[in-house]
Amino acid sequence: MTDSPLPTFKPYTRQSIAQARQWQFMSPELQEAVQVVARVLPFRTNDYVMDQLIDWSNIPDDPIYRLVFPHRDMLQPQEYARLRELVLFKKDEAAINQLVHAIRMRMNPHPAGQMTHNVPRVNDAPLRGLQHKYKETVLFFPSAGQTCHAYCTFCFRWPQFVGMDDMKFDARETTELVAYLASQPQVTDVLITGGDPMIMNTRSLAVFLESLLVPELAHIQNIRIGTKAVAYWPQRFVSDRDADDLMRLFEKVVAAGKNLAIMGHYSHAVELRNETAQKAVKRIVSTGATLRMQGPLIRYINDDPASWAELWTTGVRLGAIPYYMFVERDTGPSEYFSLPLARAHDIFQAAFQMVSGLSRTVRGPSMSAFPGKIVIDGVVTINGEKLFALQFLQARNPDWVRKPFFAKYDDKATWMDHLVPAFGKSKFFFESEDDRAAPAPAGKVIPITSAQRTDAGRCSQ
């Protein structure tokens, strides 16, 4: 008797998708859309997503198909027509590149001040691969984690995957990360993100995680890892050749006294129905790590309260914690995917009512806007005026957190920028302050000595 072979990860891109057996299930129009739109937006999928998550009898309306395959309506009609002509007929690469760049720049490639306000400075230069938007939380982007097992069509970090090098966040080592964190005692949380850090093998991931366990970073209490692998390639936690080593690494971080939180990105209930996906959850939580479930509310994909309720309920049964329902960010093909905020609130409320108290740890719908994470608490009527009740769950200025405020009800608004203050005010309370003058500690100069570089280099070996 021989062991059955381990499942092998096999990605497909625009250049190779025609080799997948499912390509023949797609109409010529759907095939064309992939070849044209994938020139603008990132496209990557894999065998697990196509074999286990997509119902090919229901394309293009299957939610996971819409989640990973490009569609012509993600571009404006005139853009699609011009790009189609260039790609399929004229085949003029210079003209294609020029048009593609123009379309990408129209799509707001760096929302919420990611490039301008979130990047800290060291030795009076931007610190590559870090963001520090909130006082207690630093985001770290390891260069080896700057891809994913499959790409989401709505991804707000899409510029990092399409060759826009000036939009990338990536760090090749941990020297400056450790030195920066050591100088920031107020920071308690580090989020390792990407791309997807779980694309790395365990040995590579250990370099980054173990660098955070050194005594001089005792103030770091929580280490988070943002990942879609729990849905797109759960074998990473179950049957990959180093999956057991990964579990031991998680246990090591927990044993060091840190809270290790796996921030699992789930977009639809179907992603947690598979046996392998459920086993991944159980294995993660068995190490002492926590698994928190989060994802954006996306038109065509999960604008159904029942899907969210099933996802949260299943997750809780397996040991995961429902965490966030986000609002689709104002970037990329947001016009295609976005929902009115009023509709987002209705969906969240309906899903919330379907679940028990154990699933009501979830917060939303939440906008990760420039000033912070703003949640729609409800729709209220005050003095005969219909309003959105809002508050900050997180903010650039900590004094704003949990401070309620109101906006005029607008059944067409899809983002914070579309809302108007209530009660005749010209500005929201946070707009009257010069928040741009204090974008986290971004302007602080932190000298890094050669000794610090040597010490930090040792702890990353």
Side-chain angles (χ1 to χ4, degrees):
M1 181 177 178
T2 59
D3 293 336
S4 58
L6 296 174
T8 302
F9 174 73
K10 183 176 181 180
Y12 293 96
T13 64
R14 175 176 61 86
Q15 291 83 359
S16 61
I17 185 60
Q19 300 170 13
R21 64 181 181 84
Q22 291 90 347
W23 185 249
Q24 63 184 318
F25 302 158
M26 300 167 60
S27 69
E29 291 78 13
L30 295 179
Q31 292 176 353
E32 174 189 288
V34 172
Q35 295 302 322
V36 174
V37 180
R39 287 295 190 118
V40 178
L41 299 168
F43 168 62
R44 193 182 203 220
T45 187
N46 65 61
D47 278 337
Y48 174 81
V49 171
M50 293 196 294
D51 291 343
Q52 301 295 326
L53 301 184
I54 296 176
D55 177 1
W56 291 94
S57 68
N58 189 35
I59 64 168
D61 294 328
D62 176 82
I64 305 302
Y65 179 85
R66 289 190 181 270
L67 182 62
V68 296
F69 278 83
H71 306 272
R72 65 178 297 156
D73 292 341
M74 291 176 182
L75 304 184
Q76 296 176 355
Q78 69 275 16
E79 291 173 341
Y80 186 88
R82 290 173 59 199
L83 189 56
R84 177 182 182 274
E85 177 74 12
L86 290 172
V87 169
L88 300 182
F89 301 103
K90 293 185 178 180
K91 300 181 180 180
D92 183 338
E93 288 298 320
I96 290 171
N97 291 338
Q98 183 178 13
L99 177 56
V100 164
H101 179 74
I103 296 172
R104 287 172 177 169
M105 296 310 294
R106 174 188 66 77
M107 289 182 164
N108 186 23
H110 56 92
Q114 291 187 96
M115 300 292 297
T116 56
H117 285 68
N118 298 352
V119 180
R121 303 178 72 85
V122 170
N123 296 333
D124 205 25
L127 189 53
R128 187 175 179 90
L130 266 74
Q131 291 184 18
H132 192 172
K133 180 176 180 179
Y134 304 127
K135 177 187 70 173
E136 67 280 352
T137 304
V138 164
L139 279 64
F140 180 63
F141 298 75
S143 59
Q146 294 306 299
T147 186
C148 301
H149 292 93
Y151 292 141
C152 297
T153 41
F154 64 79
C155 181
F156 77 92
R157 290 199 176 122
W158 60 271
Q160 295 178 220
F161 311 134
V162 294
M164 299 178 75
D165 291 340
D166 56 342
M167 301 288 178
K168 281 188 175 182
F169 299 99
D170 59 348
R172 299 190 179 280
E173 46 86 51
T174 62
T175 302
E176 292 183 332
L177 170 68
V178 172
Y180 180 74
L181 292 175
S183 72
Q184 302 290 312
Q186 81 281 8
V187 173
T188 58
D189 291 46
V190 175
L191 169 59
I192 302 175
T193 184
D196 193 331
M198 299 314 305
I199 204 80
M200 292 188 278
N201 61 37
T202 301
R203 183 177 57 186
S204 298
L205 181 62
V207 170
F208 298 104
L209 292 182
E210 291 173 357
S211 71
L212 302 175
L213 307 182
V214 295
E216 57 266 38
L217 298 185
H219 57 289
I220 303 300
Q221 302 171 20
N222 306 302
I223 299 172
R224 313 182 199 178
I225 302 175
T227 182
K228 184 70 179 179
V230 288
Y232 280 167
W233 188 250
Q235 292 90 335
R236 181 70 193 92
F237 309 92
V238 176
S239 58
D240 275 6
R241 294 189 181 279
D242 62 348
D244 289 344
D245 294 336
L246 180 63
M247 297 301 103
R248 303 295 82 76
L249 176 61
F250 287 179
E251 290 172 349
K252 181 177 181 179
V253 174
V254 173
K258 308 292 186 182
N259 171 43
L260 178 63
I262 307 303
M263 315 304 291
H265 294 251
Y266 293 94
S267 305
H268 193 276
V270 71
E271 295 172 329
L272 203 48
R273 292 174 189 160
N274 183 277
E275 180 182 356
T276 304
Q278 295 193 6
K279 190 172 183 179
V281 175
K282 291 180 179 179
R283 294 202 83 199
I284 290 169
V285 299
S286 73
T287 66
T290 58
L291 173 60
R292 295 179 182 266
M293 310 171 68
Q294 60 185 21
L297 176 60
I298 305 292
R299 185 163 54 139
Y300 304 121
I301 293 173
N302 55 21
D303 49 345
D304 173 15
S307 174
W308 285 96
E310 179 189 342
L311 178 64
W312 298 335
T313 300
T314 304
V316 166
R317 175 172 58 81
L318 298 170
I321 304 168
Y323 189 51
Y324 267 122
M325 176 197 283
F326 291 111
V327 174
E328 162 67 349
R329 287 198 182 193
D330 56 339
T331 183
S334 58
E335 295 173 356
Y336 178 80
F337 282 126
S338 61
L339 285 162
L341 297 175
R343 176 65 180 143
H345 171 261
D346 289 345
I347 291 171
F348 179 84
Q349 185 176 40
F352 201 77
Q353 292 172 352
M354 294 179 186
V355 299
S356 76
L358 292 177
S359 295
R360 292 183 178 178
T361 52
V362 68
R363 297 176 290 182
S366 171
M367 293 175 278
S368 292
F370 176 81
K373 287 187 175 68
I374 301 172
V375 68
I376 305 168
D377 261 345
V379 177
V380 299
T381 300
I382 300 177
N383 295 331
E385 185 177 1
K386 193 174 184 180
L387 308 169
F388 284 121
L390 308 166
Q391 67 166 297
F392 282 98
L393 296 176
Q394 184 61 280
R396 292 183 184 276
N397 184 337
D399 292 339
W400 301 346
V401 174
R402 298 285 294 178
K403 185 174 181 178
F405 63 103
F406 299 90
K408 290 184 178 180
Y409 181 85
D410 183 343
D411 61 4
K412 295 182 175 59
T414 60
W415 195 247
M416 187 65 206
D417 292 349
H418 304 158
L419 297 180
V420 176
F423 313 125
K425 294 183 178 180
S426 61
K427 294 182 178 181
F428 291 107
F429 77 91
F430 53 87
E431 292 179 319
S432 63
E433 302 181 32
D434 188 11
D435 59 302
R436 289 173 296 179
K444 187 174 182 180
V445 177
I446 293 129
I448 298 179
T449 66
S450 58
Q452 285 175 309
R453 292 184 184 276
T454 302
D455 290 344
R458 288 197 194 103
C459 48
S460 66
Q461 298 301 313

